[in-house]
Amino acid sequence: MDHDLAKKENRAVLLISCPERLGIISAVSNLLFGYKANIVQFDQHTTDPRDGMFFMRILFDLDSLEASYPQLEQDLSNMAQEYPMEWRLSKGSQTKRMAIFVSKMDHCLVELLWRWKSREILVDIPMVISNHPDVKDTVESYGIPFYHIPTNTQTKEEAEQAALEILRGKADFLVLARYMQILSPRFIAHYPNQIINIHHSFLPAFIGANPYKRAFMRGVKLIGATAHYVTNDLDEGPIIEQDVIRVNHRLNESDLKVAGRRVERNVLAQAISWHVEDKVIVYGNKTIVFA
Amino acid sequence: MDHDLAKKENRAVLLISCPERLGIISAVSNLLFGYKANIVQFDQHTTDPRDGMFFMRILFDLDSLEASYPQLEQDLSNMAQEYPMEWRLSKGSQTKRMAIFVSKMDHCLVELLWRWKSREILVDIPMVISNHPDVKDTVESYGIPFYHIPTNTQTKEEAEQAALEILRGKADFLVLARYMQILSPRFIAHYPNQIINIHHSFLPAFIGANPYKRAFMRGVKLIGATAHYVTNDLDEGPIIEQDVIRVNHRLNESDLKVAGRRVERNVLAQAISWHVEDKVIVYGNKTIVFA
Amino acid sequence: MDHDLAKKENRAVLLISCPERLGIISAVSNLLFGYKANIVQFDQHTTDPRDGMFFMRILFDLDSLEASYPQLEQDLSNMAQEYPMEWRLSKGSQTKRMAIFVSKMDHCLVELLWRWKSREILVDIPMVISNHPDVKDTVESYGIPFYHIPTNTQTKEEAEQAALEILRGKADFLVLARYMQILSPRFIAHYPNQIINIHHSFLPAFIGANPYKRAFMRGVKLIGATAHYVTNDLDEGPIIEQDVIRVNHRLNESDLKVAGRRVERNVLAQAISWHVEDKVIVYGNKTIVFA
Amino acid sequence: MDHDLAKKENRAVLLISCPERLGIISAVSNLLFGYKANIVQFDQHTTDPRDGMFFMRILFDLDSLEASYPQLEQDLSNMAQEYPMEWRLSKGSQTKRMAIFVSKMDHCLVELLWRWKSREILVDIPMVISNHPDVKDTVESYGIPFYHIPTNTQTKEEAEQAALEILRGKADFLVLARYMQILSPRFIAHYPNQIINIHHSFLPAFIGANPYKRAFMRGVKLIGATAHYVTNDLDEGPIIEQDVIRVNHRLNESDLKVAGRRVERNVLAQAISWHVEDKVIVYGNKTIVFA
């Protein structure tokens, strides 16, 4: 499920988004057939079969993948002229590089490190960046470089600049594993739809300060979490995954936070797995997830 | 679980809320022991064992229940002087009377009628009131009186007055099974913490018009529902129960509504079952549910 | 989700199962492109992209569907020669006819009748057959013919024969909504992979008599249900859907049965929805569900 | 929720099991009232209020706990004469010692170590014992002693004896975190209802070899896990907790195992949390869990 693409030689995934047009599936499958590609998974979605948007994900094996790759890219570029389509081709052999941003709370971080070590999430982790030094030892015990970049209102711009320098050429996507800092539009622009954030979610929403306190005061029966891509609208980017956990009146505010941590680490890890497998297509402010 | 009290002869439930005070459990259990009551379920909750609020539910059997009842009430009244406590005593033999308010959508109504008929919810249903005539036949096919009380901005006060007249002496609590009308504080005051409402819930919340459309535009992955007691703050009363259902990008706005209906009817029915069994205590704007 | 095909004019679904062969997707999509079909949903699964089994479901719109249908069938027959494939083509305009078998318990029956009436399940229900007369009134109040066919060990063969007579030409698939009778291989052979059954499921399994009693004695924490196609191996046919509900020590044996009923009616209804939309392909003793 | 008792000074929990008798709640609460104990949580269950079994858990604060403890024990012993009851008193100040047994798979082990380190499970871990050396480094990186005790059919008795020696006086309960070895009745007798095991669970059950392969062949839609106390009946002891995770046809056998690991580590950790808080009472072959 989560390991169909990553670390697989001779396997690639093709993602396509374009306005609906008759024959698009036919055209793309003919192209791949011309390469003698074995299709492993084929997923498609349309917002309207006549005049909507069309989305496709094709996972395929190709013995000659490395040799054929340049020509395949060329053919797709040509096709993109005819069908005005956006496309992305990823090779399983090219392991994605995930940089993690974290603050003091380590529950999401540790979940990711463990799934990485146990090969449940197949990525490289070139670094962990934090505005606090607290998780340094944990990170380094996994043999992963740790960078401490303090930040405050005054130094925010330099701190982001410093992070960008360290990241340059080393990370394909970023994960905010409870980073607790708002990134500037300037920073986000370097990683469009490539920054995944996790935040608590409640029914109803408790927007603003002290959400757990207010959830407790209100006596909610569910605590949730939402993983989403970061956009300039704080916590309003395209949702990748959500889940909830049941709670009751016996849980105090601190217990609710523990419950929140449990659902957060699972939701974030799941969202990352889908991202790594190129199963997520962003369209407008929502996602298509070919789970 | 949901049938411990209702329709059980010689069984009663005692609910108590009071400021914490040493010995309260001892005092109440001694009182019941004096009557030779067999305790069937004993639930307790405290917000703080030293100076918080204390809540208790005791379900008990008493062979001489009918004969002993007046004296038991007197003893509890006396005790309420000493411990400044609120208490409520309900007999299983006294079936609760549930009036249902509904608009055009019948999914919650039908679920309730079916659970009533199959004795999963042990109540009497003296009437169904609606501002539309649509569900008349359905209701009457179950042998339940149906009242059509149209309402609009101008006639709202009279309509509510008409409903109160019909209800007078006939209903113990009300269920808004997708009634879609905002009740006035004047009306609500007749049934404090005795009106149960169900409404859709989303992560994040989409407050205002067209929530399903906006949930669809946002690509939510969960659709939820919340059952709560009605207070003067619209949709902000004490939550009794919540649940969610998973959805994905394949569901259009109309499909999301179908998903919403499924979770709504289960959440509402569950909340009612707990209310009927006197398992819910309201404190401030939250509930303790001894599920 | 559940209404993509049924009751849609000019819409059809094509299901294909065949040994993997390079170019199968290309060939089928070219064929449909030749008809100017708009593809609405395209789902595929392979057990192994090199030498496994390949499964495909294509939901498509075709303005000239009625006129083109015979030729399309012919083309698919021809293609089935080249690729040794099994295929099935269903028109949305051709509403499936679902006959329901039931015994005394009506919880699944009522759920299905309600979903049918509220158009959540888009089928025709030509009849309900029961070995007991208990649900006659319920069924007939929906305007559906009810047949009472008593059965016992001696009369089983005649009873099945009588049912087959009544069903002849009137039902596309059968639902055993807690029918509690074992059908003979002879009967089942008339509806291969077209009989859906629901039964309770536990962790661990309690095979044999009194499963709820034994589940209660064992103190299980989950009660489940499984919907599956009926084969000659009792309760061992291909699984379509499963779900569970949480329970605890407070539930007695009778409460566990109520919990079981709740999960049964949801699981059965979901399985039927997928069947009606031709989203289920049986392969060996398992199913591929393009949910 | 999971931290009401452990590591709390002046807090204790009293567990009682006895045949039902009028006045038992009254007697026990009077006894505690005599000590001026503040009751924090009071849970009770009866199999039948007249002649069944009665179970009770009282969590209480007592300023003079240490000083009063011997007398309290004496009073309970006296009461146990009158009411033929089993009772257990545990102090929050007395941190439970949990020894972990593990084989090669480390998913449950790592979950437990992390919850221990992040103080989600409040225990001491005096040692990890394994029949393989694989997880030595992981365990020791947490500063926990690791013992490698190889075992095979011939050496099983000595291996168990060696483990008992190491454990002697150092562990209050044992967790089999995927230990994959069957313990002898002789060994189990040292830790009655104090050994927690986790194993996979399926609907239906696939008893015997290669359960995941058979679950895959059958196309199950749910993968579950069960945590239970170990008795002499292999995998048949009292169930503490169960849960499931949804799977579909896209998951191969190996993916199903990954899914199984996820549910196993959560179910095992939850069962341990309840055990640590003395929320589980075993009665016959089932548990009462005051969650």
Side-chain angles (χ1 to χ4, degrees), chain A residues 204-258:
Chain A
F206 299 98
I207 296 158
N210 294 322
Y212 278 97
K213 181 179 186 139
R214 288 152 69 210
F216 172 72
M217 295 301 291
R218 184 69 196 286
V220 296
K221 308 304 183 193
L222 298 175
I223 294 283
T226 297
H228 65 97
Y229 287 115
V230 174
T231 61
N232 295 339
D233 287 327
L234 181 63
D235 293 342
E236 293 288 332
I239 296 167
I240 308 169
E241 173 64 337
Q242 305 185 292
D243 206 357
V244 296
I245 200 171
R246 293 193 77 82
V247 295
N248 63 42
H249 61 270
R250 282 208 163 173
L251 282 71
N252 61 26
E253 189 185 331
S254 156
D255 295 327
L256 293 185
K257 286 179 182 169
V258 171

Side-chain angles (χ1 to χ4, degrees), chain C residues 5-104:
Chain C
L5 171 66
K7 307 260 181 188
K8 293 261 194 319
E9 293 295 321
N10 295 325
R11 183 163 286 188
V13 71
L14 172 61
L15 291 182
I16 289 176
S17 306
C18 65
E20 265 293 353
R21 191 162 132 194
L22 215 58
I24 175 81
I25 290 179
S26 182
V28 176
S29 54
N30 287 344
L31 190 157
L32 289 173
F33 181 43
Y35 282 86
K36 307 290 176 217
N38 284 293
I39 292 177
V40 181
Q41 284 176 4
F42 189 115
D43 286 289
Q44 160 276 358
H45 178 63
T46 180
T47 60
D48 186 310
R50 284 188 190 270
D51 53 12
M53 278 295 290
F54 171 86
F55 307 94
M56 184 158 57
R57 176 185 184 268
I58 304 181
L59 185 76
F60 61 92
D61 285 339
L62 188 49
D63 287 341
S64 62
L65 183 64
E66 213 49 54
S68 308
Y69 204 79
Q71 184 60 42
L72 186 54
E73 288 196 306
Q74 187 55 53
D75 288 354
L76 285 163
S77 290
N78 294 345
M79 182 178 280
Q81 307 281 317
E82 197 186 336
Y83 300 83
M85 72 192 200
E86 291 178 49
W87 60 277
R88 190 167 79 229
L89 192 60
S90 307
K91 285 185 278 189
S93 60
Q94 209 157 0
T95 304
K96 287 193 183 63
R97 300 164 303 170
M98 172 175 88
I100 302 175
F101 282 65
V102 66
S103 192
K104 290 182 174 184

Side-chain angles (χ1 to χ4, degrees), chain B residues 104-163:
Chain B
K104 290 182 174 186
M105 283 182 295
D106 72 349
H107 58 285
C108 286
L109 172 69
V110 173
E111 179 73 23
L112 299 185
L113 293 176
W114 180 74
R115 291 207 189 190
W116 166 74
K117 196 183 172 192
S118 64
R119 299 179 56 80
E120 289 202 9
I121 295 178
L122 296 174
V123 291
D124 290 338
I125 303 182
M127 72 191 67
V128 173
I129 293 175
S130 178
N131 54 336
H132 293 285
D134 305 51
V135 300
K136 184 173 193 293
D137 287 354
T138 301
V139 171
E140 292 181 346
S141 77
Y142 283 84
I144 295 170
F146 174 84
Y147 297 93
H148 176 209
I149 306 179
T151 182
N152 60 41
T153 323
Q154 279 71 48
T155 64
K156 187 188 165 99
E157 195 173 332
E158 314 160 38
E160 287 192 349
Q161 196 54 47

